[in-house]
Amino acid sequence: MKYASLEQIHALWRASNYLGAAMIYLRDNPLLREPLRVEHIKQRLLGHWGSSPGLSFCYLHLSRLIKERGLDAIFIAGPGHGAPGVLGPVWLEGTYGEIYPDKAVDRAGIEGLRRFLRDFSFPGGIGSHCTPELPGSIHEGGELGYSLSHAFGAAYDNPDLIVAAVVGDGEAETGPLATSWHGNKYLNPARDGAVLPILHLNGYKINNPTLLARISHEELQSLFEGYGWTPYFVEGHEPMEMHARMAEVMGECLDEIRSIQQRARTGDERVQRPRWPMIVLRSPKGWTGPAEVDGHKVEGFWRAHQVPLNSVRENSEHLAQLEAWLKSYRPDELFSADGALCAELRDLLPDGARRMSANAYVNSGIVRPLALPDPRAQAVAVASPAGMRVGNTRPLGRYLAEVMRANPDNFRVFGPDETSSNKLDDIFAVTGKAWMAEIYSEDADGTHLARDGKVMEMLSEHTLEGWLEGYLLTGRHGFLSTYESFAHVIDSMYNQHAKWLTICNEVPWRKPIASLNLLITSTVWRQDHNGFTHQDPGFLDVAINKDPEVTRIYLPPDANCLLVTGAHCLRSKQHINVIVADKQEHLQYLDYDAAVAHCRAGAGVWDWAGNEDGGEPDAVVACAGDVPTQEALAAVEMLRKRIPALRLRFVNVMNLFALTPKSEHPQGWSDEDFDRLFTRDKPVIFNFHGYPYLIHRLAYRRTNHSNIHVRGYMEKGSIDTPLALAIRNRIDRFGIAMDVIRHVPGLADAHADVLAALRIEQQACWDYAVEYGVDKPEISAWQWVPQT
Amino acid sequence: MKYASLEQIHALWRASNYLGAAMIYLRDNPLLREPLRVEHIKQRLLGHWGSSPGLSFCYLHLSRLIKERGLDAIFIAGPGHGAPGVLGPVWLEGTYGEIYPDKAVDRAGIEGLRRFLRDFSFPGGIGSHCTPELPGSIHEGGELGYSLSHAFGAAYDNPDLIVAAVVGDGEAETGPLATSWHGNKYLNPARDGAVLPILHLNGYKINNPTLLARISHEELQSLFEGYGWTPYFVEGHEPMEMHARMAEVMGECLDEIRSIQQRARTGDERVQRPRWPMIVLRSPKGWTGPAEVDGHKVEGFWRAHQVPLNSVRENSEHLAQLEAWLKSYRPDELFSADGALCAELRDLLPDGARRMSANAYVNSGIVRPLALPDPRAQAVAVASPAGMRVGNTRPLGRYLAEVMRANPDNFRVFGPDETSSNKLDDIFAVTGKAWMAEIYSEDADGTHLARDGKVMEMLSEHTLEGWLEGYLLTGRHGFLSTYESFAHVIDSMYNQHAKWLTICNEVPWRKPIASLNLLITSTVWRQDHNGFTHQDPGFLDVAINKDPEVTRIYLPPDANCLLVTGAHCLRSKQHINVIVADKQEHLQYLDYDAAVAHCRAGAGVWDWAGNEDGGEPDAVVACAGDVPTQEALAAVEMLRKRIPALRLRFVNVMNLFALTPKSEHPQGWSDEDFDRLFTRDKPVIFNFHGYPYLIHRLAYRRTNHSNIHVRGYMEKGSIDTPLALAIRNRIDRFGIAMDVIRHVPGLADAHADVLAALRIEQQACWDYAVEYGVDKPEISAWQWVPQT
């Protein structure tokens, strides 16, 4: 085995660049074996040439070292728009044709290549990013910002893996990317793989230069040294010089990576944070493409961003220029007549699973199973419903600790500085927080930092979500908790991961991966001093729009339901599970077995709370979410005491999708079941954790919809006690009780005295809260007294 | 006039720290004139002590220089949680009491101070962040990440202003903050004010050290030099040494700022990007608070984050420790018996509008009016409806250029590298893009960079939104355009700005400011090669949940409606205006006058499209959004041609809130008007730009809701032609037409042949798209032929 010569690498790069350019333009005549004519050109020219040559340059140089050194490496293209620069090498490696035989040279001959080129960015074909259909991709790169956090996620607990991540200089301007360089403070060389970032100073975005390409060399070097990296520079445009420099630098970087890892893995000294190498590749945008078009500079300028020659169908000079450009790669020397890459070159690329496009980690070929202990051991004993208060998240935290104990190498827990605050800190009995920055002696008192910790904390929801996605997409398992206020920070990441899973469900060679589990806690109803100005339960309104096959939303009302839900979610695959449950102490309603049954059903009547006695009730009091459940229950107690003849049904909904028709979501209830639960014509007072409209959006097709009156978060509040906040937003016990009275025909007239009394009591509770800063003791200590 | 001595600054700091600690604990006995007892203590202890002393330290040192040099300065507290450290100085300055007389010493005596302390983080009182109720605040600091972008926004076009921004080291870990340091590449010293960042290395977050506090001094220095700043370090814990060092460093920084500005403003040389000064303040968390509690280190450790002594009501030792802590500030020396700060100290603080808390820029005392040209001059001539195609955004772009021409100093346009892509580039005839990084000679060809440009482009939606907010909150005007795919990036920022405005509407001394105008373009229906994996029209689902007094959503169907809408939004105040309109060429429906009328109404019948002829129609075909309007109109044409007896009404909705009841939103239509438009019982086929459920959420209370059938974005797609995408998501003309036939009683049976033909034509269009990569010419060139 020897290195491919620089000339051979250059030939492979010519082949990649040929394919990259050809896929933007050609629907026929794939190797230009006949003169290029208009009918060979696609009618719409779509795709991004600009960063493609740089991407294939990196891909091929890394492939060269893989072949030489037998590396286990994967490739993340931050500028996913430059997919031609990845598709080219992946097709040359043969992986593409193995997965899509109609695009393989072997079986389909030149027609395989023609189809491959034609289907790029073509209706019914494949996208112009590194979509899930592309073997080797775990990062689509459509929205910029997450390449490096995905790369770190892939590297954690994969000690032999090298994750090369090309970061575009456009992407480098985004916030999520700018902070993700700090991932090196969480990467343990003894235990984790390596991330090799390649900052591609392509120079331009769509219409602008990039910031990092327009600061001095000294500033650039300082910036990355400040981030804790050692930058190696590869700068220029003359291909052979650049090949020589890249080969040299990449070899040095891999030497340095191996040396860091070896020191960390064999030495007996304490592991310190190394200064990892990174590469800064400064090369012209649209490198090797047309230098000028119609007198305008194109190569090395913003005009090379997308399609450099975009009038080839209309303008014969452009057509000729395109042909000359494509022929400049000398495809005749590179491909045989049937479209195959010549054997001498193919032999220089890695084989089998060593190809980055065929690496099992990124093609979900390796999903390490999660050993799941029985959650029952962590259950809360509930002697009678709503008779005591327990922190809802703590039993789940104990369970996560057991899961961590059973899965030390393929499970991580993520939280933005909030794992303890969210009362999941029992996990620290099993593992610490990953931390490769400095550790002080006082850290022994409660910061739980550890070089080999498996809890990931950084004050960046973007980074955590990116790490978790990268970790899951390479076959592992995880759990992320975050304050409800800050869940919107990752809305767009949620959307994209959901879409990624949607597509994967249609890509048969991608096997199911572990679900992304997101606990939303520290909720709006217990805002405490985190006041109105950044409270928002609307993450659910974002989540609910995504593919029903992927999206799951649970609102467990108590600790056992949360525990059962958490264990279920950890078992599930291909979902995003959104769980909403507050971290504070709340009433406990269901023992473990009842919780299992309730979670399985998704919604149900709590017989002990209602008094319908077999017949149909006069009204249904329904609830979803922990605080709404408590208030609804307290309302039922008041009503039963004061209007004993009133027949009430109490319904708790913990799977939000139970409300929607079965035709809309796999967890939706049939209309018959829904009507049985909510009646066909009785008033339903529904008390909801989130914005009330969401319930209408789910249930508007149900028989009894016009009788469903929803109370939920109304964007009202300031600094409030729990009850005062509930009153302000109209989900307090008094308000609920009054609403029931108002909606049951005849009741308001017959019980005007009860209505008046409730109003007075509500006001008294409000006044007390404002005077003393806490709720009345009988409110905060309220418990359900079993009714006779 | 002379500097306050360091001893005097220290005395002011003691006073601030006393207040900061006291407001967390005391509901009575505000100056400890009697021994501290449990009944003086609040029942719930809320607030963040940790960063408060550092904030007041910065605030007071800056105030000292304001007094000395007559500076015009404002203060942004990134760690808004540390509000006690801002509230203290603001109360000492007297601004607080002037605005809230019940908390003024003058009028209320010691009771004013008692109320001030008690109301902090107390129900009915004020929040524990720098909320809108706090004079001098434009930055709440609840969600971290935006302090520096707000600061830059405030500084642009405010040449004499110094914006001091304390950046917490927790906040510094977020993505948005990490990239916002690059704001210095957009700040022109000749024209803009100065931003003085103070990175507060407080050392800890809730339960963790901060990253930047645990890297080496060399890395830290490199990082900020790499970002283009000159960091000055103030590090230590001994107060008098720290005062001396801070006074020296802050003086140097202000000298340097003035020197940079003077060179830029007086020299005749070309303005170059200076290396602005910044301060790194490394001080103990919870500085001057309890060193230890129950044997645990507190000062300088994570345990100082929130309430350092949290059992003072239950534990008499803690109570004694609290009393000793509070008394350590020697309040008797600082305050007179009526609670006033002693005169000698008060005289050292700035007076009147020089106080940072009374600066007119941040209290919306200065809102520079926007001169608005007549948009009619930019209107598109529309001879007959839907008879030609024009790029919808271009006339608006021309109008923005005119607005810029008329308002060179108080209007900016923002876009993440997309102003040209969004076809708003006519503005570059009037101004360039702000750019203080390097400019090359080739930039003359189309990058539009200019040292004094007023178009702000950086590939960070977070930064742009933050700049725009800061610009608006200091009394100016702006316009932001972004691709629809990436609008979710700023969901949480949208939410917080909306909430800020909601509160401001209840704070009478804050006058109305310019609306935040957000154009969402490059929409999902013309995804072109930006495929499925990051398309999402769901920003509207986020926006719609916010306060109806603040939220506005418009979907102008054509260029004139967009132009009229844009001008209206620029005129409006206190709103967030979300405008959805695609940038591509679309059919034009309304001439300028008709557009004005349509925009004013919000929704209406397009008589020329329907054929109801006075009577009630058989069905209503409704639409909202440009592409849905085109497809709905094409469907109507087919139906009228093939089933001439069918009476159709065509309704376009451009103000989304017209759909909701008047009781829910000030722009909502009355039920009578709604019923007149949509009938009380006829089928309505509603074709919507976004997720279909949103229409149900708005209209579920309307009489005819059960007959409204919504077609909208269904999360289906890949690379599609416009019509293929529409077919996939069921808003194509054929699908709409078939839906009408299915929902009008008896029609499907009578016209089975039409249904069958439509299905065949739909399939033929699909097949053509997949074969040729474009839509059939008769589809993409389709125009409305006036019906007879």
Side-chain angles (χ1 to χ4, degrees), chain A residues 13 17 49-58 85 200 284 286-289 329:
Chain A
W13 191 46
N17 286 339
W49 169 248
S51 64
S52 298
L55 283 169
S56 56
F57 185 82
C58 296
H200 188 198
W287 198 8
T288 73
Y329 300 117

Side-chain angles (χ1 to χ4, degrees), chain A residues 27 43-44 47-48 118 121-124 126-129 140 142-143 173-175 178-179 185 205-209 211 213-215 219 222-223 225-228 273 275 296-297 301-303 306 417 420 433 435 437-438 440 442-443 445 447 449 457-460 483 486 488-489 491-492 495-496 499 503 528-530 532-536 541-542 545-546 664 691 693 696-697 700 713 715 719 721 769-774, chain B residues 27 43-44 47-48 118 121-124 126-129 140 142-143 173-175 179 182 185 205-209 211 213-215 219 222-223 225-228 273 275 296-297 301-303 306 417 420 433 435 437-440 442-443 445 447 449 457-460 483 486 488-489 491-492 495-496 499 503 528-530 532-536 541-542 545-546 664 691 693 696-697 700 713 715 719 721 769-774:
Chain A
R27 61 190 298 265
Q43 294 198 52
R44 289 203 72 194
H48 292 83
R118 193 200 78 139
S121 212
F122 197 84
I126 60 163
S128 71
H129 306 116
E140 195 253 356
E143 182 180 305
E173 293 179 16
T174 68
T179 203
K185 280 94 192 175
K205 297 169 287 190
I206 306 180
N207 286 110
N208 283 306
L211 280 177
R214 295 289 182 100
I215 62 176
E219 280 189 355
S222 281
L223 184 63
E225 288 176 358
Y227 274 125
R273 172 167 63 95
R275 187 174 270 282
H296 290 287
K297 178 179 167 75
F301 204 38
W302 64 272
R303 291 182 193 276
Q306 207 162 319
D417 187 33
S420 290
K433 296 175 198 162
W435 190 260
E438 286 176 38
Y440 297 165
E442 59 253 45
D443 287 321
D445 185 18
T447 63
L449 305 182
E457 296 216 338
M458 177 177 170
L459 213 164
S460 166
Y483 287 7
F486 307 132
H488 276 299
V489 171
D491 279 359
S492 71
N495 285 338
Q496 289 169 90
K499 283 165 173 270
I503 301 287
D528 297 339
H529 55 159
N530 294 314
F532 168 74
T533 33
H534 60 287
Q535 296 298 320
D536 194 297
D541 296 82
V542 172
N545 282 328
K546 290 290 157 296
E664 300 278 310
Y691 292 105
Y693 309 99
H696 293 296
R697 173 220 189 284
Y700 72 89
Y713 192 73
E715 289 283 314
I719 300 304
T721 67
V770 172
E771 176 64 23
Y772 296 100
V774 291
Chain B
R27 61 190 298 263
Q43 292 197 53
R44 289 202 72 194
H48 293 84
R118 194 201 77 139
S121 211
F122 197 84
I126 60 164
S128 70
H129 306 115
E140 195 252 357
E143 182 180 304
E173 294 179 15
T174 67
T179 203
H182 290 298
K185 280 95 191 174
K205 296 167 288 189
I206 307 180
N207 285 109
N208 283 306
L211 279 177
R214 297 289 182 97
I215 62 176
E219 279 189 354
S222 282
L223 184 63
E225 288 176 356
Y227 274 126
R273 172 167 62 95
R275 186 174 270 283
H296 290 288
K297 178 178 168 75
F301 204 39
W302 64 272
R303 291 182 194 275
Q306 207 162 319
D417 187 31
S420 290
K433 298 175 196 161
W435 190 260
E438 287 176 39
I439 296 183
Y440 297 164
E442 58 253 47
D443 287 320
D445 185 18
T447 64
L449 305 183
E457 297 218 336
M458 176 178 171
L459 213 164
S460 166
Y483 287 7
F486 307 133
H488 276 299
V489 170
D491 279 358
S492 71
N495 285 338
Q496 288 169 91
K499 283 167 173 267
I503 301 285
D528 297 338
H529 54 160
N530 294 312
F532 168 75
T533 34
H534 62 287
Q535 295 300 319
D536 193 297
D541 297 82
V542 173
N545 282 327
K546 288 294 157 295
E664 301 277 310
Y691 292 105
Y693 308 101
H696 293 296
R697 172 223 190 281
Y700 71 90
Y713 192 73
E715 289 284 312
I719 300 304
T721 66
V770 172
E771 175 63 22
Y772 296 99
V774 290

